[in-house]
Amino acid sequence: MNTLPLGWIYSTLEQVCVYIQRGKSPKYAPVSDLPVINQKCIRWEGIEEQHLKFVDPSQASAWGPERYLCSGDILWNSTGTGTIGRASLFGGSRTYPRMVADSHVTVVRPSNHVEGRFIHALISSPIVQSKIEDMQSGSTNQVELSREQVLSTLVPLPPQEEQRRIISKIGSLSTKSKRARDHLEHVQRLVERYRILVLGAAFRGDLASAWRAVHALSRPPMKPLGEVVSEIRYGTAQKCEVTANGIAVLRIPNVSSGSISLSGLKYAQLDAREYKKIRLEEGDVLVIRSNGSADLLGRAALVPSQASGMAYAGYLIRLRADRSIIDPKFMNFMLGAPQIREIIEVSARSTSGIHNINTVELASLMLPVPTLSEQRETVRRIEAAFDWIGRLDTEASSARKLIDRLDQAVLSKAFRGELVPQDPDDEAASVLLERIKAERAGSTPARSGRGRPRLATAT
């Protein structure tokens, strides 16, 4: 163990808490007077009440007062890959006077001599989070933090007044971090808006207007997509498997980002005749033809050389450009222009929440078709603009990661006693610990911040 500052002491959650227990799994009702906090509700920044469930009124009496959550409780996700280890500080609810937790959540209730915000910050720090994987047990999808692991979680405990100074400092720095993140998220929104504006200008012919004037060319004509492609074809309906046996098949997840991703490929057994029809070539454009999200419907992606020879699934449509008329890159960009997106989203048909577009509707979309030389100049200008804005997006993303690292560094310093100065007049943490022990030994119930008694022992 590292040496702690003067006045600090190593303890455990069991020693500094008056109650540590998993919640219960109730019989649920559509709504009742007793809401249940579950894993989905729990976020580092607080409780998302829109995910609450409710105890069936017939079971309400089975929940004793000790299970009612108190302001200052820490709710710690204790099961589930991807959610295990996440914790919220409970601050009460304006909507519900009583709340409980389900069996996937451990309720950690600190003594009044230990600040709940301090324990929550400790759990969110690298001191605890870096050990979550070692603390958990069980199989891949059934991992859990046992109560014993929670009880034995190490707590570097400062004097109570220093706890408060640490919490105040963390809060001040977190406010600055949040402000920086908000600015960076705004940059991300601007990046997307800029890309849309670039494609809109390209579709109107504005992006290459100066180039066109130099070459004495007139504004390009509009033509239906069906006249500039040599083929429009649906993909295979064959079932795809994860096992790499057969032909690799691109599906919606491989296309939905707007570019071809070769991760998560699946494979299908295709006979020679079908494979010949749907074999992809570099420069083909794949379009999503069916999806529950209107925003994804009609999204297009250009097939790179790495995907040449693969096949594609039935929820996609392949467009093969007539290269004597239209450049594949230009066609792909035009399909992403806001003028085309508006037509697709407005006209999307919905059957049971699924939006569709067919080959006839795709073929009728009107695209600008300038000369091939102007198309290539337009593509060059789009790619140059996207390259510049892409660097800005990358820098913003790097800055967000740096802020995350800074936040973690702040927490690490906090629990080494390096974030705020020590005050020799503070009552030592060892005295706090003895007081907590004495209260528990005497079964003297401490009072919660909301005036309800807390248990003097963890049961």
Side-chain angles (χ1 to χ4, degrees), residues 170 232 373:
I170 290 174
I232 303 180
S373 55

Side-chain angles (χ1 to χ4, degrees), residues 113-292:
H113 302 296
V114 179
E115 301 293 320
R117 289 176 296 168
F118 180 84
I119 298 298
H120 179 253
L122 174 68
I123 290 172
S124 67
S125 76
I127 292 175
V128 174
Q129 289 299 307
S130 64
K131 298 175 182 176
I132 289 294
E133 189 172 340
D134 293 333
M135 292 168 66
Q136 67 193 32
S137 59
S139 59
T140 303
N141 293 317
Q142 300 294 329
V143 292
E144 69 170 354
L145 292 179
S146 68
R147 182 169 177 270
E148 289 69 29
Q149 287 285 358
V150 174
L151 289 169
S152 62
T153 298
L154 198 65
V155 178
L157 186 67
Q160 190 167 22
E161 286 303 316
E162 188 171 347
Q163 293 174 38
R164 291 168 180 156
R165 293 196 297 275
I166 289 170
I167 291 163
S168 177
K169 187 66 173 180
I170 290 174
S172 173
L173 294 173
S174 295
T175 298
K176 294 177 181 178
S177 294
K178 183 180 184 304
R179 191 179 302 124
R181 283 193 184 88
D182 289 343
H183 289 314
L184 291 170
E185 287 176 7
H186 183 60
V187 169
Q188 196 171 28
R189 292 191 293 270
L190 288 176
V191 165
E192 185 57 33
R193 184 180 176 189
Y194 180 79
R195 287 191 175 116
I196 292 170
L197 290 173
V198 168
L199 292 176
F203 191 93
R204 293 191 303 271
D206 297 346
L207 201 62
S209 57
W211 183 92
R212 195 166 53 248
V214 169
H215 292 80
L217 296 173
S218 59
R219 189 168 288 275
M222 302 291 288
K223 294 183 179 181
L225 180 63
E227 290 186 11
V228 299
V229 296
S230 60
E231 186 181 70
I232 303 180
R233 185 182 292 277
Y234 294 117
T236 181
Q238 292 292 331
K239 184 178 180 181
C240 299
E241 304 286 352
V242 176
T243 306
N245 184 19
I247 305 297
V249 178
L250 297 179
R251 301 167 298 118
I252 289 177
N254 304 106
V255 175
S256 57
S257 65
S259 59
I260 299 296
S261 167
L262 299 183
S263 63
L265 287 173
K266 290 191 175 183
Y267 301 81
Q269 296 291 334
L270 304 174
D271 61 44
R273 182 178 178 183
E274 182 180 20
Y275 177 56
K276 182 178 180 181
K277 290 179 180 179
I278 63 170
R279 185 182 187 277
L280 291 170
E281 297 178 2
E282 181 181 3
D284 286 345
V285 173
L286 291 176
V287 177
I288 297 173
R289 74 173 183 89
S290 183
N291 200 265

Side-chain angles (χ1 to χ4, degrees), residues 198-208 212 218-229 322 325-341 343 362-376 378-379 382:
V198 168
L199 292 176
F203 191 93
R204 293 191 303 271
D206 297 346
L207 201 62
R212 195 166 53 248
S218 59
R219 189 168 288 275
M222 302 291 288
K223 294 183 179 181
L225 180 63
E227 290 186 11
V228 299
V229 296
D322 181 340
I325 303 173
I326 194 165
D327 181 274
K329 285 186 177 181
F330 180 83
M331 181 174 71
N332 182 57
F333 280 135
M334 291 304 98
L335 288 171
Q339 294 90 334
I340 292 296
R341 293 300 313 154
I343 292 170
L362 270 180
S364 68
L365 293 174
M366 300 298 291
L367 303 181
V369 186
T371 63
L372 285 170
S373 55
E374 183 178 338
Q375 291 178 39
R376 290 166 187 143
T378 300
V379 167
I382 292 172

Side-chain angles (χ1 to χ4, degrees), residues 305-377:
S305 59
Q306 299 94 317
S308 181
M310 294 182 180
Y312 58 101
Y315 290 118
L316 302 175
I317 296 175
R318 181 185 65 192
L319 306 176
R320 182 159 288 169
D322 181 340
R323 300 191 185 211
S324 66
I325 303 173
I326 194 165
D327 181 274
K329 285 186 177 181
F330 180 83
M331 181 174 71
N332 182 57
F333 280 135
M334 291 304 98
L335 288 171
Q339 294 90 334
I340 292 296
R341 293 300 313 154
E342 183 178 5
I343 292 170
I344 290 174
E345 291 180 20
V346 168
S347 62
R349 302 187 314 281
S350 177
T351 303
S352 302
I354 302 298
H355 305 283
N356 298 281
I357 188 169
N358 60 38
T359 56
V360 174
E361 291 164 326
L362 270 180
S364 68
L365 293 174
M366 300 298 291
L367 303 181
V369 186
T371 63
L372 285 170
S373 55
E374 183 178 338
Q375 291 178 39
R376 290 166 187 143
E377 176 63 18

Side-chain angles (χ1 to χ4, degrees), residues 6-144:
L6 187 66
W8 289 48
I9 191 171
Y10 276 113
S11 183
T12 63
L13 282 183
E14 182 177 20
Q15 291 174 303
V16 301
C17 292
V18 293
Y19 180 85
I20 297 177
Q21 186 60 276
R22 283 277 190 95
K24 294 202 307 182
S25 289
K27 177 182 177 183
Y28 291 111
V31 68
S32 76
D33 293 333
L34 188 56
V36 182
I37 290 177
N38 54 75
Q39 288 172 301
K40 200 171 182 181
C41 299
I42 293 175
R43 296 292 186 269
W44 288 115
E45 61 276 9
I47 302 296
E48 293 186 348
E49 291 193 8
Q50 66 268 33
H51 304 302
L52 289 172
K53 295 182 179 181
F54 297 88
V55 176
D56 189 286
S58 66
Q59 278 197 339
S61 61
W63 297 74
E66 75 280 359
R67 290 191 178 272
Y68 298 156
L69 300 178
C70 299
S71 182
D73 286 351
I74 296 94
L75 309 181
W76 199 355
N77 276 351
S78 297
T79 66
T81 303
T83 60
I84 193 170
R86 192 167 63 208
S88 288
L89 179 67
F90 183 73
S93 171
R94 294 181 179 179
T95 309
Y96 305 99
R98 298 181 306 168
M99 303 179 85
V100 294
D102 76 6
S103 62
H104 299 285
V105 177
T106 297
V107 179
V108 176
R109 186 169 299 157
S111 160
N112 280 344
H113 302 296
V114 179
E115 301 293 320
R117 289 176 296 168
F118 180 84
I119 298 298
H120 179 253
L122 174 68
I123 290 172
S124 67
S125 76
I127 292 175
V128 174
Q129 289 299 307
S130 64
K131 298 175 182 176
I132 289 294
E133 189 172 340
D134 293 333
M135 292 168 66
Q136 67 193 32
S137 59
S139 59
T140 303
N141 293 317
Q142 300 294 329
V143 292
E144 69 170 354

